[in-house]
């Protein structure tokens, strides 16, 4: 849903381990979901997307899982690398009031070498 | 190859002094967005243009205005910046407002003194 609060959840993982970042979305009518990566001082960058008629989609080293029953989205990063350190945002595209993209609160990923 | 360009990257303005941020795109996308992002928060949508059609978010202060003179360019005008307007301003584009990823520029960091 709409982002609130000033403190990002943080996930710290060892280089080479797998990372799982979770997100709860707000609108059961949302039909398209995106994960963005934002490095310090840069704009968000598209990682992977998934439509509501799917429950899993894989990319290079990344997998997105969608559970519509509980309105939950997750991003799995395999063999996490130091370059994966960033803030990750999930976003939902909702048809409410005309199509609109709503960003989740974000999770900061730290990768320890 | 830069696809969404924002100028300047850093802008310092005085309290109450109007400021304009610019965004240009080489993607020929129909939709251009302006987001405000404060530290450790998700991007917050201010408004968007679908072609020449302006769409303001209900909670965007009147102090923020936008212009889109042509497909490639979009401007954010802050008429009387307050200290609370200091933030990163992100421009993004997409082919449409439905299930399409957004392409973000690098952002303009605004400081208000």
């Amino acid at each position: 849903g709409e982002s609130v609060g000033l403190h990002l959840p943080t996930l710290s993982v060892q280089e080479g381990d797998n990372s799982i970042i979770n997100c709860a979305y707000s609108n059961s009518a949302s039909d398209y979901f995106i994960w963005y990566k934002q490095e310090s001082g840069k704009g968000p960058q598209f990682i992977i997307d998934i439509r509501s008629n799917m429950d899993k989609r894989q990319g290079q080293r990344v997998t997105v899982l969608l559970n519509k029953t509980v309105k939950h989205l997750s991003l799995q990063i395999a063999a996490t690398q130091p370059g994966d350190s960033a803030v990750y945002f999930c976003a939902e595209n909702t048809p409410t009031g005309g199509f609109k993209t709503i960003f989740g609160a974000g999770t900061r990923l730290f990768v320890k070498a | 190859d830069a696809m969404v360009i924002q100028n300047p990257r850093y802008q310092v303005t005085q309290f109450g002094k109007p400021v304009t941020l610019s965004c240009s795109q080489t993607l020929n996308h129909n939709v251009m967005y302006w987001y405000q992002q404060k530290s450790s928060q998700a991007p917050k949508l201010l408004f968007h243009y679908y072609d020449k059609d302006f769409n303001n978010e209900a909670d965007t202060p009147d102090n923020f205005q936008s212009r889109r003179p042509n497909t490639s360019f979009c401007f954010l005008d802050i008429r009387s910046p307050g200290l609370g307007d200091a933030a990163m301003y992100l421009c993004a584009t997409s082919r449409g407002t439905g299930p399409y990823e957004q392409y973000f520029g690098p952002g303009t960091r605004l400081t208000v003194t």
Side-chain angles (χ1 to χ4, degrees), chain A:
Chain A
E2 297 288 351
S3 171
V4 295
L6 298 177
H7 300 288
L8 288 172
T10 298
L11 175 66
S12 185
V13 300
Q14 197 69 39
E15 181 180 1
D17 288 352
N18 297 334
S19 303
I20 300 176
I21 300 171
N22 296 303
C23 174
Y25 63 91
S26 62
N27 191 340
S28 57
S30 294
D31 58 1
Y32 177 63
F33 305 87
I34 311 165
W35 280 99
Y36 289 96
K37 172 186 180 183
Q38 187 174 24
E39 297 175 273
S40 181
K42 297 183 179 179
Q45 178 185 13
F46 171 89
I47 301 173
I48 191 167
D49 58 2
I50 189 168
R51 293 179 186 258
S52 58
N53 61 352
M54 303 172 68
D55 53 21
K56 180 179 180 179
R57 188 158 190 235
Q58 287 185 289
Q60 187 177 15
R61 281 202 308 120
V62 293
T63 301
V64 55
L65 298 178
L66 174 63
N67 185 332
K68 294 182 288 293
T69 302
V70 294
K71 294 190 290 185
H72 184 268
L73 201 63
S74 69
L75 176 70
Q76 300 179 359
I77 305 174
T80 313
Q81 302 168 359
D84 295 328
S85 293
V87 177
Y88 290 82
F89 292 101
C90 66
E92 60 184 296
N93 186 261
T94 173
T96 303
F99 286 102
K100 181 176 176 179
T101 297
I102 301 172
F103 280 79
T107 296
R108 189 181 303 278
L109 176 65
F110 283 113
V111 182
K112 296 176 288 187

Side-chain angles (χ1 to χ4, degrees), chain B residues 13-29:
Chain B
T13 191
Q14 292 178 330
F15 182 94
K17 185 174 181 181
V19 65
T20 295
L21 310 182
S22 73
C23 177
S24 63
Q25 56 140 337
T26 60
L27 297 162
N28 203 34
H29 281 170

